[in-house]
Amino acid sequence: MEILAFGVQADETPLLEAAFGGPHEVRCLGVFLNEDTAPIAAGYEIVSSSVNADLSGRVLRVLAAGGTRMIAQRSTGFNNIDLDAARQLGLTVSRVSYCSPYSVAEFAWTLAMAVNRRIVRAATRTRDFDFRLDGLIGRDMRGRTVGVLGTGKIGEAFTRIAHGFGMNLLGWDVARNPACVELGMKYVDKEELFASSDLISLHVPLLAATRHLVDAAALELMRDDAILINSSRGGLIDTDALVAELRAGRFTGVGLDVYEAEAGVFFLDKSLEAVEDDTLARLVTFPNVVVTSHQAYYTSDAVGQIIAATVANVTDYRAGRRSENTLVPD
């Protein structure tokens, strides 16, 4: 059986082709799955999608009409999939419930230190043989307070690194993580976390209850010299409200690996096109902001685990089995 995989990066292609050997072969496409590209999947029983795919009800209906019966998403997040529509259409939908939490946690810290120590500005200067230190001053992390919103596997990994720095640990989540408590984390309400933290990092999923978790009110509570990091989902932050605060000269730094309107932009080369998103265009001009293109998960370790899980999901589907990765049927 041949599987059609959308949104495959160049680094992923040989890994996917090697993993789907034997009874399952894979055809890798660089284009992302959306309403325009869905007709390509006609005749493919199994389709694999990437995190930025559009799997709305309209797209799912096109896939189902073309003979698709199973969608294997290569990511932990699945907020882009209309699960109700998938149920109505009788589709099987799976995701990857686990991949290396260290990849995202380490990248979140990479962003934090990049904005704290002005690494991008410094590197740009030295390329021009400008070795001045003006405007490059940072702060020690030791002794300062970090607020971790979401203390699951990734949040815990991020917290362990913060503990290594010697930071005071604040956490917020629907349930306490005993491992974080053992490290000395104090769980507080959101308002206290926003008001008391020198560094805030987001590690919660994007749900209806967490959309714009960092809204105008939360941003107002934050310290003027705070650092904000988001390596989870773009919709957790009200970007327009964030831009307004940045225009007012607030925050030491903001590191964003995700953006709420990233679909159709991230993972693509837009360098020769006019920028249509005024908010994104403004965001990347701030000298204290670093934006990357949803790459926190992108290590050989994590991608290997994602591909292995995707292969297992396809095998389970073919055998009529369900697993913790199966989203539909429930």
Side-chain angles (χ1 to χ4, degrees):
M1 174 177 291
E2 188 176 41
I3 297 150
L4 185 62
F6 286 89
V8 181
Q9 303 298 313
D11 296 328
E12 293 178 283
T13 299
L15 299 176
L16 270 170
E17 290 176 342
F20 278 103
H24 306 305
E25 295 184 359
V26 64
R27 177 187 174 195
C28 296
L29 301 180
V31 297
F32 293 98
L33 179 55
N34 54 40
E35 191 171 355
D36 293 328
T37 60
I40 301 173
Y44 286 90
E45 181 180 346
I46 301 174
V47 167
S48 180
S49 58
S50 60
V51 66
N52 267 5
D54 173 8
L55 287 165
S56 61
R58 183 175 299 180
V59 174
L60 292 176
R61 284 189 287 274
V62 173
L63 292 174
T68 297
R69 307 311 306 155
M70 193 259 184
I71 296 168
Q73 176 136 302
R74 304 186 309 279
S75 72
T76 57
F78 54 92
N79 53 282
N80 61 318
I81 307 174
D82 187 335
L83 298 181
D84 289 333
R87 292 186 188 95
Q88 294 170 7
L89 293 166
L91 297 173
T92 295
V93 181
S94 68
R95 58 127 177 189
V96 177
S97 60
Y98 175 87
C99 70
S100 169
Y102 310 108
S103 60
V104 178
E106 290 170 6
F107 193 85
W109 269 109
T110 300
L111 286 175
M113 297 311 294
V115 296
N116 177 42
R117 302 305 300 270
R118 321 295 186 188
I119 298 299
V120 175
R121 182 185 296 182
T124 301
R125 282 186 184 178
T126 55
R127 283 176 179 266
D128 294 329
F129 290 88
D130 178 354
F131 299 98
R132 293 172 299 159
L133 298 182
D134 298 346
L136 301 182
I137 195 165
R139 297 180 293 179
D140 290 0
M141 287 291 104
R142 183 175 180 81
R144 287 190 158 81
T145 299
V146 61
V148 185
L149 288 149
T151 56
K153 292 183 177 67
I154 297 173
E156 179 187 332
F158 183 90
T159 300
R160 290 188 181 280
I161 298 171
H163 181 262
F165 274 112
M167 302 186 75
N168 302 312
L169 310 174
L170 297 181
W172 175 84
D173 208 328
V174 293
R176 299 187 178 195
N177 183 333
C180 291
V181 173
E182 187 175 344
L183 291 171
M185 174 172 279
K186 176 184 177 184
Y187 280 84
V188 297
D189 59 36
K190 294 193 301 291
E191 291 73 21
E192 182 177 345
L193 186 147
F194 283 119
S196 302
S197 300
D198 298 291
L199 166 63
I200 294 172
S201 191
L202 309 180
H203 301 288
V204 297
L206 180 59
L207 308 168
T210 59
R211 180 171 294 278
H212 287 183
L213 181 68
V214 183
D215 56 9
L219 291 166
E220 287 181 11
L221 287 173
M222 290 174 59
R223 297 174 176 177
D224 288 345
D225 61 353
I227 293 172
L228 175 64
I229 303 298
N230 187 9
S231 58
S232 184
R233 288 293 182 268
L236 298 175
I237 296 178
D238 182 340
T239 312
D240 290 332
L242 175 61
V243 168
E245 296 297 324
L246 289 166
R247 291 183 64 183
R250 298 191 66 216
F251 308 137
T252 288
V254 175
L256 304 174
D257 185 52
V258 288
Y259 172 62
E260 61 180 327
E262 69 182 53
V265 179
F266 280 23
F267 304 137
L268 299 172
D269 181 2
K270 297 288 185 177
S271 60
L272 298 180
E273 300 178 21
V275 179
E276 298 179 358
D277 189 329
D278 292 339
T279 302
L280 179 58
R282 186 70 181 93
L283 192 62
V284 299
T285 64
F286 291 106
N288 58 334
V289 175
V290 172
V291 179
T292 52
S293 53
H294 206 141
Q295 69 182 83
Y297 79 98
Y298 205 53
T299 67
S300 57
D301 307 86
V303 171
Q305 291 170 352
I306 289 169
I307 291 174
T310 302
V311 172
N313 290 341
V314 169
T315 301
D316 285 342
Y317 162 76
R318 294 290 293 162
R321 296 189 297 262
R322 297 183 70 260
S323 74
E324 62 177 354
N325 291 337
T326 307
L327 297 172
V328 179
D330 302 293

